[in-house]
Amino acid sequence: MKRWLRNGCLLCAVLLCFVLCAPSFSYADAPYDGYTENTHGDRVHSINGYLYDRSIEGVELESGPLNAPEDIFVGTDDSLYIVDTGNSRIVHLSEDGKLKQVMGVEEGKGKLNEPKGVFVTEDGTIYVADTKNQRIVVFNAEGTYLREFAKPESPLLGAGFSYSPSKLLVDKRGYMFVVSDGNTQGLIQIDPNGQFRGFYGANHIGFSWSRLFIRMLATDEQKAKLATTKPLEFSNAVQDKEGFIYTTTLGTVTNQIKRLSPVGVDTLGSGAKVYGDPSFQKGDSIPAFIDITVDQNGVMTALDLLNSKIYQYDKLGTLLFVFGGLGEQNGLFVTPSSIAQSSKGTIYVVDKGRNRVDLFRTTPFADTVHAASKLYVDGRYEEAEGLWQQVLQQNGNFDLAYFAIGKSLYKAQRYKDAMSYFKLAGARGEYSDAFHEYRKEWIREYFAWISGGVIVLLLILRYLAPRLIRGILRKVRANKSSEENETFTLSRLPGDHTMKGGQAK
């Protein structure tokens, strides 16, 4: 007994030493709950796709802290170009966060005044929207001033046109597409020579019966006093590798994100589509998307200033992940102003209110979803099916996985199984299509039995049924004749056969 007690004490001492001496690990939970949407637009809990990694504040750099940064651009080498608006400069950092150069601070033609946007071409040429100076400034890859593009001159712009460039992009031809604060006519196109080439992709004003009714009844004086309805202005624009331009728009509850073709047509689908929080559909508030980034696979990640959340959609516009939010914790934002993404999938978010840039990394769950989504969008449903099954093993509420697997089964002509997955995904149209094909398949499989049954039924109706009917009719007639004879016989008998007092007379 004493030996058991001694051994037990020794074991406890060993375990205590192991606990005290073992290295400790801490895992901080995300300050936001991951969720996605089902086919009805309702929130569904999901594993987080992105987690906060670290921040760049500038205090660790010899260039000094950031001050009210407005924009960020990730170059082809994954280096960072931060528009440090409060300090009127562009800070160029390497991928690992080391300072490479600072532009726009030296006196001369290249000195910036509260810039708000930056774009870098593949050869390293840097275009800056120098907002307060009302111009576009161009630097070479080494940060040397090259030239500037002042306010474009054109009769089409009008005498009262206000030029205040805030964001821009440059296509492969060297054409600049400029977002100008207060401009509602679309993106301003400027050619490599600085000439105005027209407006591109302007938002349209929707039809309103009330506006038409007021215009019909109002007098000329009243019409003159009515406020002119103008299209909404773009807040930002980026371009993908295929040449499509993605725009974000403030102050609208539908089509806040657009993917414009070379002729300015939205290719994300016809009709009204709501991006952002599902509560916007109920009219609780209006989203305020201020920036968007698109990766090499067409995955769109958009930043909403109103609730400081980030929404990620696949190339078809289906919601994948939501993260971020309003707050002071790491992973939340005070006043976010820009978003960008590296080739490795790291998300950079500029938080103007906290004077820093936050970095977010993907989780293993997001990596699986992205890999499956790429195959699915490319139409490689069968290859994606295994990955979607892995997604469902981790999150059984991911409707897109059910839908994608249903597509794979449908393509494999496994219509009955496809119906089950489409039902779980709430995809009524696809369920109907699968049911239609399954019904045809079932008829083909049992056609011989069905044909035989129809033939037997016709024979019965042709030969057996008439005999049965004639037999029944004969019996009916025989019974009727028997009853008639019996009645006739009784009527011929003498005497009164009525009953009185229970006796016959």
Side-chain angles (χ1 to χ4, degrees), residues 18 62 73 138 165 238 249 262 266-267 272 281 294 404 416 442 459:
F18 177 78
E62 53 267 34
F73 187 91
V138 185
V238 298
T249 302
D266 185 13
T267 60
Q281 301 180 41
V294 184
K416 186 176 182 181
W442 187 88
L459 290 174

Side-chain angles (χ1 to χ4, degrees), residues 330-380:
N330 288 333
L332 303 179
F333 315 108
V334 175
T335 309
S337 58
S338 182
I339 188 170
Q341 185 172 3
S342 73
S343 62
K344 297 179 177 63
T346 301
I347 296 288
Y348 297 87
V349 182
V350 177
D351 192 350
K352 178 181 178 181
R354 298 169 79 176
N355 300 316
R356 70 183 199 178
V357 178
D358 294 336
L359 281 68
F360 291 82
R361 56 178 173 81
T362 58
T363 63
F365 178 69
D367 293 335
T368 305
V369 171
H370 289 157
S373 177
K374 182 182 184 303
L375 294 173
Y376 168 72
V377 170
D378 291 342
R380 298 154 64 183

Side-chain angles (χ1 to χ4, degrees), residues 219-226:
T219 64
D220 292 338
E221 293 182 359
Q222 291 173 332
K223 290 179 181 179
K225 295 179 181 180
L226 290 175

Side-chain angles (χ1 to χ4, degrees), residues 298-300 312-320 373 376-377 400:
V299 174
M300 304 170 287
Q312 187 172 85
Y313 301 88
D314 67 12
K315 193 174 183 178
L316 303 177
T318 304
L319 182 66
L320 299 179
S373 177
Y376 168 72
V377 170
L400 178 58

Side-chain angles (χ1 to χ4, degrees), residues 394-409:
Q394 300 177 65
N395 179 13
N397 294 326
F398 211 82
D399 279 6
L400 178 58
Y402 291 110
F403 184 85
I405 294 173
K407 281 282 191 179
S408 174
L409 295 171

Side-chain angles (χ1 to χ4, degrees), residues 485-498:
N485 291 334
E486 183 179 354
T487 303
F488 177 76
T489 302
L490 290 174
S491 64
R492 296 294 300 271
L493 292 177
D496 187 1
H497 296 278
T498 56

